[in-house]
Amino acid sequence: MSEDRYLTFALGKGRLAKRTLELLEEIGITCEEMKDKDSRKLIFVNEELKLRFFLSKGPDVPTYVEYGAADIGVVGEDTILEENRNVYEVLDLGFGKCRMCVCGPASAKDLLQHHERIRVASKYPKIAKDYFYNQKFQTVDIIKLNGSVELGPIVELSDVIVDIVETGSTLKENGLEVLEEICPLSARMIVNPVSMQMQSERIKDLLSKLKAKLKEGV
Ligand code: PRP
């Protein structure tokens, strides 16, 4: 596979990037440079396959892809929904499975049923707003937090939170529970719309190999 231009991948830092690199390796795409844990480099190249990879904060992945700074991105669906960028969502990678939920103390259940004006803390203000305003038709005050969102109801910043639940242990250890489920989530591959046209052969080839590998794994 030798093409004149590099295809660039933006991967959300952390577990998703690790799983993505493992999956790519299974279809013969490796990046040895990335395996050097001591490296301070930000961008890694596979000269032979003309591929480049970089790691970024999850919420920045759709931004890089929308502007074409990366052709392809891998990020959680939560981030795709929250960022609402102009990108094509092309593949459900099947890992990174979790749920977007409204959570809080059991006592907050009533507040959700009676459409009270409550406070909702979340790292995902857009998803929270969309859920309460457009699906539940409940007017709420949304408070944006950047992490450890479970603190919201504990320190009485908010009545409930909208957050990701994976194993449920963070909720349990903090005396909170899932009150309502908004949607299931998983890792997704996204593509820049122009790249999808201009590099369609290479991208389609990559997608079909990934799909076949994912099918094998089921
Ligand atoms: C995420 C999420 C929950 C937790 C859920 O937080 O926001 O807090 O994981 O996982 P669990 O159901 O398996 O306990 P993350 O670890 O990304 O850190 P953050 O709270 O700083 O955002």
Side-chain angles (χ1 to χ4, degrees):
M1 202 206 291
S2 87
E3 303 280 334
D4 25 313
R5 113 161 174 49
Y6 286 98
L7 266 191
T8 303
F9 288 73
L11 308 177
K13 269 183 201 170
R15 262 179 302 173
L16 286 192
K18 192 168 172 275
R19 291 290 302 271
T20 307
L21 291 170
E22 284 166 4
L23 178 65
L24 289 173
E25 196 147 351
E26 286 183 46
I27 59 161
I29 294 178
T30 53
C31 190
E32 292 306 314
E33 266 195 324
M34 262 183 135
K35 292 180 183 164
D36 177 3
K37 296 270 177 285
D38 298 326
S39 174
R40 306 276 297 168
K41 274 179 89 166
L42 294 173
I43 189 146
F44 305 91
V45 182
N46 179 324
E47 289 293 351
E48 194 196 335
L49 300 175
K50 284 273 186 253
L51 299 173
R52 298 197 302 176
F53 300 86
F54 65 82
L55 299 176
S56 77
K57 290 256 186 193
D60 293 337
V61 169
T63 312
Y64 285 111
V65 175
E66 178 180 275
Y67 285 92
D71 301 286
I72 297 169
V74 174
V75 72
E77 198 187 358
D78 49 312
T79 305
I80 298 172
L81 293 171
E82 184 64 27
E83 295 298 314
N84 197 27
R85 294 278 176 180
N86 177 26
V87 295
Y88 289 159
E89 196 183 308
V90 292
L91 189 60
D92 181 349
L93 293 165
F95 50 76
K97 282 198 171 136
C98 51
R99 300 177 290 156
M100 186 64 73
C101 298
V102 181
C103 312
S107 58
K109 250 182 209 157
D110 267 2
L111 301 174
L112 297 172
Q113 269 148 27
H114 300 127
H115 285 74
E116 304 213 15
R117 182 159 189 146
I118 54 169
R119 285 190 182 172
V120 181
S122 186
K123 264 197 299 193
Y124 303 92
K126 186 187 167 295
I127 294 174
K129 191 174 175 194
D130 182 63
Y131 179 68
F132 278 98
Y133 281 68
N134 301 332
Q135 293 190 46
K136 280 178 68 77
F137 305 108
Q138 181 171 3
T139 303
V140 297
D141 294 317
I142 293 175
I143 303 169
K144 162 92 195 288
L145 288 178
N146 292 298
S148 304
V149 180
E150 289 82 359
L151 274 172
I154 297 171
V155 299
E156 294 177 10
L157 171 74
S158 68
D159 299 291
V160 297
I161 61 173
V162 165
D163 201 18
I164 284 174
V165 179
E166 193 180 347
T167 60
S169 46
T170 311
L171 289 178
K172 203 166 166 206
E173 285 184 32
N174 290 289
L176 306 174
E177 58 186 66
V178 171
L179 303 174
E180 288 177 0
E181 183 171 327
I182 300 177
C183 60
L185 302 164
S186 58
R188 303 290 161 118
M189 183 164 273
I190 54 176
V191 176
N192 171 274
V194 177
S195 307
M196 194 71 210
Q197 280 192 348
M198 304 303 286
Q199 297 291 317
S200 88
E201 224 169 279
R202 292 174 82 191
I203 294 175
K204 278 183 187 155
D205 179 58
L206 169 76
L207 289 175
S208 67
K209 283 181 182 151
L210 285 173
K211 277 180 195 159
K213 186 49 75 180
L214 289 171
K215 219 171 177 183
E216 249 176 53
V218 176

mmCIF file of all heavy atoms in Angstrom, residues 8-13 42-43 52 54-75 79 83 85-87 190-193 195:
data_model
loop_
_atom_site.group_PDB
_atom_site.id
_atom_site.type_symbol
_atom_site.label_atom_id
_atom_site.label_comp_id
_atom_site.label_asym_id
_atom_site.label_seq_id
_atom_site.Cartn_x
_atom_site.Cartn_y
_atom_site.Cartn_z
ATOM 1 N N THR A 8 -3.923 10.351 8.381
ATOM 2 C CA THR A 8 -3.638 10.683 9.787
ATOM 3 C C THR A 8 -4.782 10.249 10.703
ATOM 4 O O THR A 8 -5.945 10.523 10.419
ATOM 5 C CB THR A 8 -3.395 12.197 9.924
ATOM 6 O OG1 THR A 8 -2.322 12.546 9.046
ATOM 7 C CG2 THR A 8 -3.029 12.577 11.344
ATOM 8 N N PHE A 9 -4.410 9.579 11.796
ATOM 9 C CA PHE A 9 -5.378 9.114 12.797
ATOM 10 C C PHE A 9 -5.240 9.947 14.071
ATOM 11 O O PHE A 9 -4.127 10.114 14.572
ATOM 12 C CB PHE A 9 -5.074 7.665 13.234
ATOM 13 C CG PHE A 9 -5.375 6.613 12.217
ATOM 14 C CD1 PHE A 9 -4.564 6.456 11.108
ATOM 15 C CD2 PHE A 9 -6.446 5.755 12.389
ATOM 16 C CE1 PHE A 9 -4.825 5.458 10.178
ATOM 17 C CE2 PHE A 9 -6.716 4.752 11.468
ATOM 18 C CZ PHE A 9 -5.908 4.613 10.357
ATOM 19 N N ALA A 10 -6.368 10.423 14.598
ATOM 20 C CA ALA A 10 -6.379 11.056 15.935
ATOM 21 C C ALA A 10 -7.052 10.077 16.879
ATOM 22 O O ALA A 10 -8.177 9.639 16.618
ATOM 23 C CB ALA A 10 -7.166 12.354 15.885
ATOM 24 N N LEU A 11 -6.346 9.728 17.942
ATOM 25 C CA LEU A 11 -6.906 8.763 18.892
ATOM 26 C C LEU A 11 -7.084 9.425 20.247
ATOM 27 O O LEU A 11 -6.186 10.132 20.724
ATOM 28 C CB LEU A 11 -5.969 7.556 19.034
ATOM 29 C CG LEU A 11 -5.538 6.854 17.730
ATOM 30 C CD1 LEU A 11 -4.562 5.723 18.042
ATOM 31 C CD2 LEU A 11 -6.739 6.308 16.976
ATOM 32 N N GLY A 12 -8.251 9.204 20.860
ATOM 33 C CA GLY A 12 -8.489 9.739 22.203
ATOM 34 C C GLY A 12 -7.577 9.026 23.188
ATOM 35 O O GLY A 12 -7.571 7.799 23.234
ATOM 36 N N LYS A 13 -6.794 9.798 23.944
ATOM 37 C CA LYS A 13 -5.833 9.233 24.903
ATOM 38 C C LYS A 13 -6.466 8.238 25.855
ATOM 39 O O LYS A 13 -7.616 8.401 26.230
ATOM 40 C CB LYS A 13 -5.303 10.379 25.791
ATOM 41 C CG LYS A 13 -4.075 11.041 25.284
ATOM 42 C CD LYS A 13 -3.632 12.083 26.305
ATOM 43 C CE LYS A 13 -2.746 13.103 25.642
ATOM 44 N NZ LYS A 13 -2.472 14.233 26.492
ATOM 45 N N LEU A 42 4.753 13.628 19.944
ATOM 46 C CA LEU A 42 3.292 13.724 19.916
ATOM 47 C C LEU A 42 2.699 13.054 18.693
ATOM 48 O O LEU A 42 1.524 12.729 18.665
ATOM 49 C CB LEU A 42 2.864 15.203 19.943
ATOM 50 C CG LEU A 42 3.190 15.959 21.232
ATOM 51 C CD1 LEU A 42 2.882 17.431 21.063
ATOM 52 C CD2 LEU A 42 2.396 15.389 22.399
ATOM 53 N N ILE A 43 3.528 12.877 17.679
ATOM 54 C CA ILE A 43 3.000 12.298 16.446
ATOM 55 C C ILE A 43 3.924 11.176 15.971
ATOM 56 O O ILE A 43 5.144 11.296 16.073
ATOM 57 C CB ILE A 43 2.753 13.402 15.385
ATOM 58 C CG1 ILE A 43 2.013 12.854 14.179
ATOM 59 C CG2 ILE A 43 4.015 14.122 14.976
ATOM 60 C CD1 ILE A 43 1.066 13.847 13.560
ATOM 61 N N ARG A 52 0.008 8.207 9.833
ATOM 62 C CA ARG A 52 0.477 8.983 10.991
ATOM 63 C C ARG A 52 -0.560 8.829 12.092
ATOM 64 O O ARG A 52 -1.763 8.739 11.823
ATOM 65 C CB ARG A 52 0.570 10.470 10.666
ATOM 66 C CG ARG A 52 1.545 10.813 9.580
ATOM 67 C CD ARG A 52 1.880 12.284 9.612
ATOM 68 N NE ARG A 52 0.678 13.120 9.474
ATOM 69 C CZ ARG A 52 0.704 14.441 9.548
ATOM 70 N NH1 ARG A 52 1.843 15.064 9.769
ATOM 71 N NH2 ARG A 52 -0.402 15.147 9.391
ATOM 72 N N PHE A 54 -1.691 10.368 16.097
ATOM 73 C CA PHE A 54 -1.414 11.179 17.286
ATOM 74 C C PHE A 54 -2.490 10.972 18.336
ATOM 75 O O PHE A 54 -3.611 10.560 18.026
ATOM 76 C CB PHE A 54 -1.202 12.662 16.944
ATOM 77 C CG PHE A 54 -2.399 13.397 16.393
ATOM 78 C CD1 PHE A 54 -3.371 13.908 17.232
ATOM 79 C CD2 PHE A 54 -2.516 13.617 15.012
ATOM 80 C CE1 PHE A 54 -4.450 14.617 16.725
ATOM 81 C CE2 PHE A 54 -3.592 14.325 14.492
ATOM 82 C CZ PHE A 54 -4.562 14.828 15.352
ATOM 83 N N LEU A 55 -2.102 11.224 19.584
ATOM 84 C CA LEU A 55 -3.024 11.080 20.708
ATOM 85 C C LEU A 55 -3.463 12.472 21.130
ATOM 86 O O LEU A 55 -2.650 13.392 21.161
ATOM 87 C CB LEU A 55 -2.328 10.399 21.885
ATOM 88 C CG LEU A 55 -1.800 8.992 21.631
ATOM 89 C CD1 LEU A 55 -1.037 8.486 22.854
ATOM 90 C CD2 LEU A 55 -2.942 8.040 21.313
ATOM 91 N N SER A 56 -4.736 12.607 21.443
ATOM 92 C CA SER A 56 -5.187 13.912 21.939
ATOM 93 C C SER A 56 -6.252 13.680 23.000
ATOM 94 O O SER A 56 -6.720 12.561 23.186
ATOM 95 C CB SER A 56 -5.770 14.748 20.794
ATOM 96 O OG SER A 56 -7.057 14.296 20.467
ATOM 97 N N LYS A 57 -6.631 14.739 23.680
ATOM 98 C CA LYS A 57 -7.741 14.636 24.633
ATOM 99 C C LYS A 57 -8.982 14.227 23.839
ATOM 100 O O LYS A 57 -9.223 14.771 22.740
ATOM 101 C CB LYS A 57 -8.001 15.998 25.269
ATOM 102 C CG LYS A 57 -6.904 16.426 26.217
ATOM 103 C CD LYS A 57 -7.366 16.250 27.648
ATOM 104 C CE LYS A 57 -6.331 16.804 28.595
ATOM 105 N NZ LYS A 57 -6.568 16.410 29.973
ATOM 106 N N GLY A 58 -9.789 13.346 24.401
ATOM 107 C CA GLY A 58 -10.978 12.847 23.705
ATOM 108 C C GLY A 58 -11.810 13.931 23.031
ATOM 109 O O GLY A 58 -12.089 13.856 21.824
ATOM 110 N N PRO A 59 -12.223 14.984 23.769
ATOM 111 C CA PRO A 59 -13.105 15.991 23.156
ATOM 112 C C PRO A 59 -12.465 16.735 21.978
ATOM 113 O O PRO A 59 -13.172 17.354 21.185
ATOM 114 C CB PRO A 59 -13.390 16.967 24.309
ATOM 115 C CG PRO A 59 -13.165 16.159 25.545
ATOM 116 C CD PRO A 59 -12.063 15.195 25.224
ATOM 117 N N ASP A 60 -11.132 16.665 21.861
ATOM 118 C CA ASP A 60 -10.475 17.335 20.725
ATOM 119 C C ASP A 60 -10.467 16.472 19.458
ATOM 120 O O ASP A 60 -10.243 16.988 18.358
ATOM 121 C CB ASP A 60 -9.028 17.717 21.074
ATOM 122 C CG ASP A 60 -8.956 18.787 22.145
ATOM 123 O OD1 ASP A 60 -9.950 19.526 22.307
ATOM 124 O OD2 ASP A 60 -7.921 18.882 22.832
ATOM 125 N N VAL A 61 -10.714 15.176 19.599
ATOM 126 C CA VAL A 61 -10.632 14.287 18.425
ATOM 127 C C VAL A 61 -11.598 14.717 17.319
ATOM 128 O O VAL A 61 -11.187 14.901 16.165
ATOM 129 C CB VAL A 61 -10.818 12.797 18.822
ATOM 130 C CG1 VAL A 61 -11.010 11.916 17.591
ATOM 131 C CG2 VAL A 61 -9.634 12.311 19.643
ATOM 132 N N PRO A 62 -12.902 14.939 17.624
ATOM 133 C CA PRO A 62 -13.807 15.372 16.534
ATOM 134 C C PRO A 62 -13.403 16.718 15.929
ATOM 135 O O PRO A 62 -13.670 16.956 14.746
ATOM 136 C CB PRO A 62 -15.177 15.473 17.221
ATOM 137 C CG PRO A 62 -15.072 14.614 18.439
ATOM 138 C CD PRO A 62 -13.642 14.738 18.885
ATOM 139 N N THR A 63 -12.757 17.577 16.698
ATOM 140 C CA THR A 63 -12.303 18.873 16.178
ATOM 141 C C THR A 63 -11.214 18.657 15.131
ATOM 142 O O THR A 63 -11.266 19.215 14.032
ATOM 143 C CB THR A 63 -11.742 19.756 17.323
ATOM 144 O OG1 THR A 63 -12.664 19.727 18.402
ATOM 145 C CG2 THR A 63 -11.488 21.179 16.860
ATOM 146 N N TYR A 64 -10.219 17.839 15.471
ATOM 147 C CA TYR A 64 -9.138 17.551 14.503
ATOM 148 C C TYR A 64 -9.719 16.944 13.229
ATOM 149 O O TYR A 64 -9.296 17.258 12.126
ATOM 150 C CB TYR A 64 -8.114 16.576 15.101
ATOM 151 C CG TYR A 64 -7.184 17.199 16.127
ATOM 152 C CD1 TYR A 64 -7.263 16.857 17.470
ATOM 153 C CD2 TYR A 64 -6.210 18.122 15.742
ATOM 154 C CE1 TYR A 64 -6.406 17.413 18.408
ATOM 155 C CE2 TYR A 64 -5.348 18.685 16.673
ATOM 156 C CZ TYR A 64 -5.455 18.329 18.004
ATOM 157 O OH TYR A 64 -4.609 18.892 18.921
ATOM 158 N N VAL A 65 -10.709 16.066 13.401
ATOM 159 C CA VAL A 65 -11.271 15.375 12.232
ATOM 160 C C VAL A 65 -12.134 16.332 11.404
ATOM 161 O O VAL A 65 -12.064 16.336 10.182
ATOM 162 C CB VAL A 65 -12.041 14.097 12.654
ATOM 163 C CG1 VAL A 65 -12.728 13.453 11.454
ATOM 164 C CG2 VAL A 65 -11.089 13.095 13.309
ATOM 165 N N GLU A 66 -12.928 17.162 12.059
ATOM 166 C CA GLU A 66 -13.774 18.091 11.294
ATOM 167 C C GLU A 66 -12.923 19.014 10.418
ATOM 168 O O GLU A 66 -13.244 19.267 9.252
ATOM 169 C CB GLU A 66 -14.636 18.957 12.224
ATOM 170 C CG GLU A 66 -15.467 19.961 11.434
ATOM 171 C CD GLU A 66 -16.355 20.850 12.299
ATOM 172 O OE1 GLU A 66 -17.454 20.427 12.634
ATOM 173 O OE2 GLU A 66 -15.919 21.961 12.633
ATOM 174 N N TYR A 67 -11.819 19.517 10.973
ATOM 175 C CA TYR A 67 -10.972 20.446 10.220
ATOM 176 C C TYR A 67 -10.015 19.754 9.265
ATOM 177 O O TYR A 67 -9.255 20.407 8.559
ATOM 178 C CB TYR A 67 -10.192 21.354 11.180
ATOM 179 C CG TYR A 67 -11.073 22.431 11.782
ATOM 180 C CD1 TYR A 67 -11.726 22.226 12.987
ATOM 181 C CD2 TYR A 67 -11.276 23.633 11.115
ATOM 182 C CE1 TYR A 67 -12.553 23.201 13.538
ATOM 183 C CE2 TYR A 67 -12.102 24.620 11.644
ATOM 184 C CZ TYR A 67 -12.736 24.395 12.858
ATOM 185 O OH TYR A 67 -13.562 25.354 13.375
ATOM 186 N N GLY A 68 -10.003 18.419 9.275
ATOM 187 C CA GLY A 68 -9.143 17.693 8.342
ATOM 188 C C GLY A 68 -7.696 17.586 8.811
ATOM 189 O O GLY A 68 -6.840 17.124 8.061
ATOM 190 N N ALA A 69 -7.422 18.017 10.057
ATOM 191 C CA ALA A 69 -6.063 17.856 10.601
ATOM 192 C C ALA A 69 -5.805 16.368 10.828
ATOM 193 O O ALA A 69 -4.658 15.920 10.841
ATOM 194 C CB ALA A 69 -5.917 18.634 11.897
ATOM 195 N N ALA A 70 -6.864 15.619 11.043
ATOM 196 C CA ALA A 70 -6.801 14.148 11.047
ATOM 197 C C ALA A 70 -7.862 13.666 10.066
ATOM 198 O O ALA A 70 -8.938 14.266 9.975
ATOM 199 C CB ALA A 70 -7.072 13.596 12.436
ATOM 200 N N ASP A 71 -7.551 12.604 9.338
ATOM 201 C CA ASP A 71 -8.545 12.044 8.415
ATOM 202 C C ASP A 71 -9.539 11.172 9.166
ATOM 203 O O ASP A 71 -10.714 11.107 8.825
ATOM 204 C CB ASP A 71 -7.842 11.169 7.353
ATOM 205 C CG ASP A 71 -6.817 11.960 6.568
ATOM 206 O OD1 ASP A 71 -7.249 12.773 5.734
ATOM 207 O OD2 ASP A 71 -5.601 11.782 6.810
ATOM 208 N N ILE A 72 -8.992 10.472 10.169
ATOM 209 C CA ILE A 72 -9.764 9.458 10.882
ATOM 210 C C ILE A 72 -9.590 9.682 12.379
ATOM 211 O O ILE A 72 -8.505 10.052 12.834
ATOM 212 C CB ILE A 72 -9.239 8.050 10.504
ATOM 213 C CG1 ILE A 72 -9.453 7.813 9.004
ATOM 214 C CG2 ILE A 72 -9.883 6.945 11.328
ATOM 215 C CD1 ILE A 72 -8.756 6.597 8.456
ATOM 216 N N GLY A 73 -10.645 9.447 13.142
ATOM 217 C CA GLY A 73 -10.531 9.575 14.595
ATOM 218 C C GLY A 73 -11.201 8.411 15.276
ATOM 219 O O GLY A 73 -12.107 7.782 14.715
ATOM 220 N N VAL A 74 -10.752 8.131 16.493
ATOM 221 C CA VAL A 74 -11.442 7.135 17.313
ATOM 222 C C VAL A 74 -11.737 7.783 18.648
ATOM 223 O O VAL A 74 -10.836 8.305 19.326
ATOM 224 C CB VAL A 74 -10.602 5.856 17.511
ATOM 225 C CG1 VAL A 74 -11.305 4.921 18.499
ATOM 226 C CG2 VAL A 74 -10.400 5.144 16.185
ATOM 227 N N VAL A 75 -13.008 7.752 19.027
ATOM 228 C CA VAL A 75 -13.423 8.439 20.245
ATOM 229 C C VAL A 75 -14.741 7.851 20.725
ATOM 230 O O VAL A 75 -15.457 7.192 19.950
ATOM 231 C CB VAL A 75 -13.523 9.966 19.929
ATOM 232 C CG1 VAL A 75 -14.713 10.289 19.055
ATOM 233 C CG2 VAL A 75 -13.531 10.804 21.187
ATOM 234 N N THR A 79 -18.575 11.654 23.363
ATOM 235 C CA THR A 79 -17.865 12.842 22.887
ATOM 236 C C THR A 79 -18.410 13.297 21.539
ATOM 237 O O THR A 79 -18.539 14.493 21.289
ATOM 238 C CB THR A 79 -16.350 12.529 22.773
ATOM 239 O OG1 THR A 79 -15.925 12.053 24.038
ATOM 240 C CG2 THR A 79 -15.548 13.735 22.378
ATOM 241 N N GLU A 83 -19.892 16.969 21.201
ATOM 242 C CA GLU A 83 -19.168 17.943 20.364
ATOM 243 C C GLU A 83 -19.958 18.315 19.103
ATOM 244 O O GLU A 83 -19.787 19.405 18.571
ATOM 245 C CB GLU A 83 -17.789 17.386 19.974
ATOM 246 C CG GLU A 83 -16.847 17.188 21.158
ATOM 247 C CD GLU A 83 -16.520 18.484 21.874
ATOM 248 O OE1 GLU A 83 -16.220 19.482 21.190
ATOM 249 O OE2 GLU A 83 -16.593 18.515 23.116
ATOM 250 N N ARG A 85 -19.824 17.661 15.878
ATOM 251 C CA ARG A 85 -18.988 18.177 14.780
ATOM 252 C C ARG A 85 -19.422 17.599 13.444
ATOM 253 O O ARG A 85 -20.089 16.560 13.395
ATOM 254 C CB ARG A 85 -17.524 17.785 15.029
ATOM 255 C CG ARG A 85 -16.925 18.458 16.241
ATOM 256 C CD ARG A 85 -16.490 19.824 15.868
ATOM 257 N NE ARG A 85 -15.989 20.573 17.010
ATOM 258 C CZ ARG A 85 -15.553 21.812 16.907
ATOM 259 N NH1 ARG A 85 -15.567 22.436 15.750
ATOM 260 N NH2 ARG A 85 -15.108 22.441 17.957
ATOM 261 N N ASN A 86 -18.976 18.248 12.373
ATOM 262 C CA ASN A 86 -19.311 17.773 11.039
ATOM 263 C C ASN A 86 -18.325 16.671 10.628
ATOM 264 O O ASN A 86 -17.301 16.940 9.993
ATOM 265 C CB ASN A 86 -19.261 18.959 10.064
ATOM 266 C CG ASN A 86 -19.540 18.526 8.644
ATOM 267 O OD1 ASN A 86 -20.217 17.519 8.411
ATOM 268 N ND2 ASN A 86 -19.005 19.263 7.688
ATOM 269 N N VAL A 87 -18.625 15.455 11.049
ATOM 270 C CA VAL A 87 -17.777 14.298 10.729
ATOM 271 C C VAL A 87 -18.696 13.129 10.376
ATOM 272 O O VAL A 87 -19.862 13.132 10.757
ATOM 273 C CB VAL A 87 -16.875 13.882 11.928
ATOM 274 C CG1 VAL A 87 -15.876 14.973 12.256
ATOM 275 C CG2 VAL A 87 -17.708 13.525 13.168
ATOM 276 N N ILE A 190 -14.562 7.832 13.360
ATOM 277 C CA ILE A 190 -15.135 8.943 12.596
ATOM 278 C C ILE A 190 -14.168 9.341 11.477
ATOM 279 O O ILE A 190 -12.953 9.105 11.590
ATOM 280 C CB ILE A 190 -15.445 10.174 13.492
ATOM 281 C CG1 ILE A 190 -14.201 10.618 14.288
ATOM 282 C CG2 ILE A 190 -16.599 9.877 14.433
ATOM 283 C CD1 ILE A 190 -14.424 11.899 15.109
ATOM 284 N N VAL A 191 -14.720 9.921 10.413
ATOM 285 C CA VAL A 191 -13.903 10.273 9.250
ATOM 286 C C VAL A 191 -14.262 11.682 8.784
ATOM 287 O O VAL A 191 -15.437 12.073 8.799
ATOM 288 C CB VAL A 191 -14.117 9.255 8.099
ATOM 289 C CG1 VAL A 191 -13.345 9.665 6.845
ATOM 290 C CG2 VAL A 191 -13.695 7.851 8.520
ATOM 291 N N ASN A 192 -13.255 12.414 8.355
ATOM 292 C CA ASN A 192 -13.469 13.737 7.759
ATOM 293 C C ASN A 192 -14.212 13.553 6.422
ATOM 294 O O ASN A 192 -13.820 12.715 5.610
ATOM 295 C CB ASN A 192 -12.100 14.400 7.536
ATOM 296 C CG ASN A 192 -12.209 15.674 6.736
ATOM 297 O OD1 ASN A 192 -12.198 15.647 5.520
ATOM 298 N ND2 ASN A 192 -12.327 16.781 7.430
ATOM 299 N N PRO A 193 -15.280 14.326 6.180
ATOM 300 C CA PRO A 193 -16.078 14.118 4.962
ATOM 301 C C PRO A 193 -15.276 14.281 3.664
ATOM 302 O O PRO A 193 -15.504 13.535 2.697
ATOM 303 C CB PRO A 193 -17.171 15.190 5.055
ATOM 304 C CG PRO A 193 -17.293 15.477 6.517
ATOM 305 C CD PRO A 193 -15.909 15.316 7.081
ATOM 306 N N SER A 195 -11.963 13.772 3.315
ATOM 307 C CA SER A 195 -11.060 12.611 3.233
ATOM 308 C C SER A 195 -11.812 11.391 2.741
ATOM 309 O O SER A 195 -11.285 10.567 1.990
ATOM 310 C CB SER A 195 -10.446 12.294 4.601
ATOM 311 O OG SER A 195 -9.850 13.424 5.150
#
